[in-house]
Amino acid sequence: MIQLLWNAPMHVAEAIASRRSIRAFTAEPVARRIVEDILSRAARAPSGGNLQPWRIYALLGEARDELVRRVAEARSQHPMGEPPEYHVYPPRLAEPWRTRRFRVGEAMYALLGIPREDKRARLEHFARNWEFFGAPVGLIVTIDRGMQPGQWADVGMFLQNVMLLAREHGLHSCAQEAWAVWHGLLRDYLSIPESEMVFCGLALGHADDTAPVNTLVSERAPLADFAVFCEHP
Ligand SMILES: Cc1cc2nc3c(=O)[nH]c(=O)nc-3n(C[C@H](O)[C@H](O)[C@H](O)COP(=O)(O)O)c2cc1C
């Protein structure tokens, strides 16, 4: 609140700490100039050799609504879309990653009040991905097929910038690999060339503060679990 009154800039650490994946948005629109501002500033992200391998299809207004309608219609034939063009997760997810994935999923469904047995309700929540969780802006992120792991990492850095800059505008986001299963439909609708692969989507808008699912604060492993400090040879 103090920040709003004084229009003080948001510290990076605050943007990082307040960014969470939001899975329920209000219908409040986001102006195109704000999306343009976020995307152009996000493009200051570093990339190996300055390749800038990100490519974004920004969907607003009717264009966003029409995509959501097309997916809803396509679901009658293919309820879960089609196999993505890349492995969203390793085919055999080992520990500790398997447990981490399980725990965040269970924490989310607990907030939604959907038990493990209710597969249909879980699927219906998952399908909300394909409505951008109600967000007024949807980004579809693609990458040239020839790009290698380094360039996928570059796109990740760009996306993190997008999500942090969104916080400066009072907006929230959710990165969405769930869109990878609609690559064919997206290719037709957005005229995405064959040379590009659909990596993910990203929902952008105002968080619905009344939605319990938005209270989820996912766990993180402690520093000692992922960092090795070497001070002596
Ligand atoms: C590239 C990427 C794709 C993701 N895809 C989805 C998705 O399809 N649906 C979803 O609900 N969350 C998705 N997430 C959100 C992750 O589940 C989330 O980042 C993770 O659980 C950590 O939680 P946090 O973002 O709230 O810190 C994705 C995140 C990333 C980085």
Side-chain angles (χ1 to χ4, degrees):
M1 177 52 95
I2 287 171
Q3 184 180 317
L4 280 178
L5 291 174
W6 293 354
N7 209 16
M10 183 180 263
H11 290 291
V12 176
E14 193 184 343
I16 291 173
S18 66
R19 186 217 56 81
R20 283 181 282 123
S21 292
I22 288 298
R23 297 184 177 91
F25 292 85
T26 69
E28 188 178 339
V30 175
R32 174 175 170 158
R33 67 176 169 76
I34 292 180
V35 182
E36 286 174 344
D37 178 65
I38 290 174
L39 293 178
S40 36
R41 288 198 285 152
R44 294 306 310 173
S47 56
N50 201 23
L51 296 196
Q52 305 163 64
W54 41 83
R55 185 151 172 84
I56 307 297
Y57 296 79
L59 291 140
L60 300 89
E62 263 302 303
R64 173 247 180 245
D65 297 347
E66 175 61 17
L67 171 61
V68 169
R69 266 195 298 273
R70 288 190 186 200
V71 171
E73 201 181 304
R75 283 193 68 212
S76 58
Q77 297 293 315
H78 304 284
M80 295 305 288
E82 53 183 323
E85 293 190 280
Y86 70 98
H87 288 295
V88 170
Y89 295 105
R92 261 185 299 278
L93 195 60
E95 292 299 346
W97 305 291
R98 192 181 150 86
T99 297
R100 287 181 188 163
R101 185 181 178 199
F102 176 81
R103 284 180 67 85
V104 75
E106 288 308 305
M108 183 186 76
Y109 286 116
L111 287 169
L112 289 162
I114 307 176
R116 276 183 73 70
E117 315 76 69
D118 197 344
K119 298 275 183 261
R120 219 168 74 97
R122 287 193 168 201
L123 179 62
E124 278 320 300
H125 168 77
F126 185 79
R128 292 273 298 146
N129 269 292
W130 304 320
E131 299 167 2
F132 294 108
F133 295 119
V137 177
L139 306 182
I140 298 297
V141 182
T142 68
I143 182 164
D144 187 275
R145 265 176 217 289
M147 293 298 165
Q148 298 298 312
Q151 288 76 53
W152 283 69
D154 296 338
V155 176
M157 287 185 254
F158 171 86
L159 291 178
Q160 174 73 338
N161 276 0
V162 169
M163 294 189 276
L164 297 183
L165 288 163
R167 295 302 305 121
E168 263 200 7
H169 285 281
L171 300 173
H172 276 283
S173 59
C174 185
Q176 300 180 284
E177 270 151 348
W179 280 100
V181 302
W182 294 113
H183 56 91
L185 185 149
L186 288 165
R187 192 174 302 288
D188 286 350
Y189 180 52
L190 300 172
S191 306
I192 299 174
E194 274 301 329
S195 56
E196 292 172 28
M197 263 170 83
V198 174
F199 167 29
C200 67
L202 191 141
L204 184 68
H206 295 270
D208 176 353
D209 294 326
T210 66
V213 70
N214 287 343
T215 62
L216 177 61
V217 178
S218 55
E219 300 171 331
R220 290 296 186 275
L223 180 66
D225 281 15
F226 65 88
V228 178
F229 285 77
C230 309
E231 291 184 281
H232 305 289

